Amino acid sequence: MVLDKLSDSLKNTLKKIASAVFVDEKLVNELVKDVQRSLLQSDVNVKLVLDLSNKIKERVLKEEAPKTLSKKEYLIQVLYEELTKFLGGGGSSSKIEMKKKPFKLMLVGLFGNGKTTTAGKLAHYYKKRGLKVAVMTTDTWRPAAFDQLEQLAKKVGVDFMGDKKSKDPAKIFKKFEPELNKYDLVIVDTAGRDALSDELITELNSIHKAVKADEILLVMGADLGQAAEKQAQTFHETCGVTGIVITKLDGTAKGGGALAAAAITGAPVKFIGLGEKADDLEEFRPEGFVGRLLGMGDLEALLEKAKGAISEEEAQDLGNKFLKGDFSLLDLYEQMQAVRKMGPLTKIMEMIPGMSQVHLPKEMLEVQEEKLTKWKFILDSCTKEELENPEDMDGSRVDRIAKGSGCSSSEIRALLKQYKQSKKMVKMFKGGSEKDMQKMMQKFGGKMPFKM
Ligand code: GDP
Ligand code: MG
């Protein structure tokens, strides 16, 4: 997941708390030191780290724990709450409300931070949620920018606008303005520079005057580290950005610096980019993010992601079945298919409570198109009874299905094996050491953002 190392070390800290005999000042000090070390390693600014750790310490040592929570549980709750606040949680919602049509979203930022890529990702993201989307390039600086966005638009299946001959971004927008009414969302990509120069500010102001964007997102790479704070601040003050997108969080172990720095600028982090592909974008919610960092899972994010691929009802069902651990072969197939639409299975797993700590073999998570097609043939050749009780399938049945489906017996056995493994895996996370942690989380009741 994002910030693997940070996540691992924070999880270790939680384990330490869970195994401690009692909570005293020594344990709290140790915990705070652990958290400091973890954050510093992720490139978070020293001052921010000290502020945060002091706050945690103060609360745990001075505040009375609520009656419903043990001291240990309270410790975890404080850690969770403070980390969430630290990443901008508890403030206004990061969700972009699109009350107008067309809603105009403009992307700004310096060269190479991922604006154009993000334009494609956002188009994909909102298209999946049912909006009619168009993207427009106003980058008259780099000739390649036009082709880049045009290709991305084609790939995700949204309309593209741009004018290769024009050198005036505002005019390009004006040219297309009369056509925009038919879209729910228009995403405007802009040119960057190497630094926030007066020239860039002038250009952005002129584009903004023409576009009158409803949302201006600053796009910054996680590789900026702590420098992100200054950049976000300057853009925020001079160009009135309404939100931030941190990209390339997949690429650096130190992305915590950019994330934390951006979060304190007053312009909330609204999306994070986790790779180069159209699917590698997530709405940023500090609550869910911290939940995942701490390995608590985040079913809400999973369900949110599922919305684009399958209906809400189906998603709820999918989650419930996973959690209950009673699913048939057919369910497995349906889940695999639904999950495949949502993105790589490895990412989905991280969002299911408990799953993030279960290290699964990579091969198991790689569901290939080809395999799924074969599965469909196999499942089509099964009787209803066989689908519901795959455990009872003996050799002669396997042979019969092989004949019917045109697959080999070993392929059928492989499918059955995968089914059994999935079932075992779900049992493992239901009954394993995670259980206590989950119970603990449940006690927090309304305060915790994820459903178990
Ligand atoms: P722009 O100059 O701001 O428009 O930046 P681009 O969108 O052209 O992106 C610059 C480079 O960063 C490209 O090679 C992208 O593929 C890459 N990139 C963008 N977003 C991400 C991300 O989230 N993760 C990774 N690994 N690469 C990204
Ligand atoms: Mg670009």
Side-chain angles (χ1 to χ4, degrees):
M1 80 165 272
V2 194
L3 300 176
D4 260 332
K5 275 200 186 129
L6 176 60
S7 177
D8 281 347
S9 54
L10 286 176
K11 280 181 212 158
N12 275 333
T13 308
L14 287 193
K15 274 190 203 138
K16 220 185 241 180
I17 299 174
S19 61
V21 184
F22 49 77
V23 176
D24 57 3
E25 194 163 344
K26 187 166 157 274
L27 177 72
V28 174
N29 280 331
E30 209 176 308
L31 159 82
V32 165
K33 277 226 172 69
D34 279 354
V35 173
Q36 286 175 343
R37 202 177 308 120
S38 310
L39 291 172
L40 288 172
Q41 277 168 358
S42 304
D43 200 28
V44 179
N45 173 305
V46 179
K47 186 177 172 300
L48 291 183
V49 172
L50 288 180
D51 283 351
L52 171 73
S53 49
N54 283 336
K55 233 183 258 166
I56 295 176
K57 203 158 143 179
E58 209 164 282
R59 280 191 60 188
V60 175
L61 294 178
K62 290 198 184 136
E63 279 177 21
E64 193 78 36
K67 282 198 180 66
T68 48
L69 297 181
S70 75
K71 270 205 147 167
K72 275 191 203 177
E73 290 165 347
Y74 184 57
L75 199 54
I76 295 174
Q77 192 192 20
V78 168
L79 182 63
Y80 168 81
E81 281 180 356
E82 291 304 327
L83 278 172
T84 306
K85 260 193 245 160
F86 180 67
L87 288 176
S92 60
S93 160
S94 67
K95 214 170 182 75
I96 299 176
E97 301 275 352
M98 300 194 185
K99 289 188 183 136
K100 275 163 103 182
K101 183 186 171 177
F103 189 90
K104 288 167 287 182
L105 189 155
M106 185 165 117
L107 296 171
V108 304
L110 300 182
F111 272 152
N113 278 281
K115 289 179 296 301
T116 307
T117 313
T118 303
K121 288 179 185 176
L122 284 169
H124 182 59
Y125 182 89
Y126 284 112
K127 188 193 165 196
K128 275 206 297 189
R129 280 158 183 75
L131 300 194
K132 188 159 171 50
V133 185
V135 292
M136 185 193 300
T137 181
T138 62
D139 186 347
T140 56
W141 265 73
R142 291 207 291 200
F146 181 101
D147 301 331
Q148 189 190 355
L149 190 60
E150 188 179 32
Q151 275 168 22
L152 285 171
K154 206 186 247 171
K155 211 180 242 171
V156 305
V158 301
D159 288 348
F160 166 79
M161 296 163 211
D163 183 353
K164 237 178 189 168
K165 285 181 229 112
S166 175
K167 285 276 160 228
D168 184 342
K171 272 196 189 140
I172 297 178
F173 180 83
K174 288 284 177 203
K175 178 179 161 189
F176 291 105
E177 196 170 18
E179 299 170 34
L180 300 183
N181 284 332
K182 60 180 177 194
Y183 298 102
D184 300 308
L185 169 66
V186 178
I187 300 168
V188 181
D189 188 19
T190 63
R193 297 291 190 280
D194 288 324
L196 186 62
S197 57
D198 289 345
E199 189 202 354
L200 178 59
I201 295 176
T202 311
E203 179 174 306
L204 290 176
N205 281 335
S206 132
I207 304 175
H208 182 41
K209 247 195 207 145
V211 175
K212 296 187 200 66
D214 302 298
E215 184 85 35
I216 303 181
L217 296 181
L218 168 66
V219 181
M220 291 193 301
D223 46 2
L224 281 178
Q226 298 177 27
E229 183 183 345
K230 182 135 199 319
Q231 207 177 101
Q233 203 78 54
T234 327
F235 265 95
H236 191 40
E237 280 160 13
T238 51
C239 311
V241 302
T242 54
I244 295 172
V245 181
I246 304 273
T247 62
K248 307 186 193 180
L249 264 170
D250 52 310
T252 165
K254 298 194 159 196
L259 204 50
I264 59 159
T265 59
V269 179
K270 299 207 168 173
F271 283 94
I272 51 178
L274 306 164
E276 298 187 79
K277 289 205 250 7
D279 243 341
D280 298 329
L281 181 82
E282 260 176 38
E283 208 164 328
F284 180 69
R285 291 184 311 111
E287 291 79 8
F289 188 79
V290 171
R292 274 157 67 195
L293 275 184
L294 297 179
M296 296 168 184
D298 179 9
L299 205 55
E300 261 183 10
L302 171 75
L303 295 179
E304 175 61 32
K305 192 148 193 179
K307 259 189 208 161
I310 47 179
S311 76
E312 201 162 338
E313 218 169 88
E314 282 173 318
Q316 200 86 42
D317 230 31
L318 172 76
N320 286 342
K321 272 181 178 156
F322 253 129
L323 288 185
K324 272 198 277 166
D326 65 7
F327 54 90
S328 70
L329 201 48
L330 199 58
D331 289 327
L332 177 72
Y333 173 74
E334 274 171 9
Q335 282 169 10
M336 289 296 180
Q337 233 182 3
V339 156
R340 202 171 41 111
K341 278 192 233 155
M342 290 187 240
L345 195 52
T346 37
K347 277 193 191 159
I348 308 288
M349 283 301 178
E350 280 165 10
M351 297 187 213
I352 300 175
M355 285 296 191
S356 60
Q357 283 191 327
V358 183
H359 288 286
L360 298 167
K362 242 198 152 77
E363 311 82 64
M364 212 170 122
L365 295 176
E366 280 169 1
V367 189
Q368 297 116 357
E369 193 86 29
E370 204 187 332
K371 201 154 136 195
L372 274 172
T373 313
K374 278 211 172 123
W375 283 16
K376 180 93 178 68
F377 288 147
I378 296 176
L379 296 173
D380 283 344
S381 304
C382 291
T383 61
K384 187 163 175 283
E385 193 185 73
E386 284 162 351
L387 288 176
E388 277 164 2
N389 304 298
E391 286 83 0
D392 303 339
M393 232 185 272
D394 58 14
S396 68
R397 281 182 180 240
V398 169
D399 287 343
R400 197 213 76 234
I401 297 165
K403 265 198 205 124
S405 62
C407 298
S408 69
S409 307
S410 65
E411 276 165 344
I412 293 166
R413 285 203 191 88
L415 164 60
L416 287 173
K417 194 169 153 209
Q418 173 129 15
Y419 166 74
K420 276 182 197 145
Q421 268 175 333
S422 303
K423 221 165 168 159
K424 206 154 83 192
M425 171 180 97
V426 171
K427 274 205 192 113
M428 197 158 75
F429 105 74
K430 274 182 69 196
S433 58
E434 286 289 301
K435 205 170 175 183
D436 293 342
M437 184 66 86
Q438 286 190 17
K439 260 197 207 147
M440 218 186 249
M441 293 308 150
Q442 256 166 359
K443 269 204 194 171
F444 295 157
K447 289 208 177 96
M448 304 307 280
F450 24 81
K451 300 177 193 121
M452 290 289 179

